[in-house]
Amino acid sequence: MLRKAGYPLAAIIIGMILRPVLETNFRRALLLSRDGPMIFLERPISATILAIAAVMLVHVTVTTLRPLKARGAGP
């Protein structure tokens, strides 16, 4: 199903391998901070990484929706 949708197999495998490590370290960071997820915005490096990820997400969304809107298929 994922191949038909065009998702690369390598990215899926890497995601499956790194997911447990990511979840463990995310949970550990939340337990250490005791302030909740704000710890990720208070540190400059993590805030920069989150900002870059947000910009990339907006960019991909805009570049995907722009051709659809030009064809008249968008909202």
Side-chain angles (χ1 to χ4, degrees):
M1 182 171 77
L2 293 172
R3 280 189 189 170
K4 288 183 180 180
Y7 289 100
L9 184 61
I12 294 169
I13 291 172
I14 290 172
M16 290 174 62
I17 291 170
L18 293 179
R19 182 185 52 86
V21 174
L22 177 73
E23 287 180 3
T24 302
N25 287 318
F26 180 71
R27 191 174 302 124
R28 183 179 298 147
L30 288 176
L31 287 173
L32 289 174
S33 72
R34 297 183 191 240
D35 293 332
M38 287 305 294
I39 189 76
F40 300 113
L41 297 176
E42 293 171 350
R43 307 291 184 184
I45 293 175
S46 60
T48 302
I49 292 171
L50 286 174
I52 291 170
V55 167
M56 289 173 60
L57 182 64
V58 168
H59 174 68
V60 167
T61 303
V62 168
T63 56
T64 301
L65 293 179
R66 189 173 290 154
L68 294 176
K69 205 174 224 186
R71 289 189 301 196

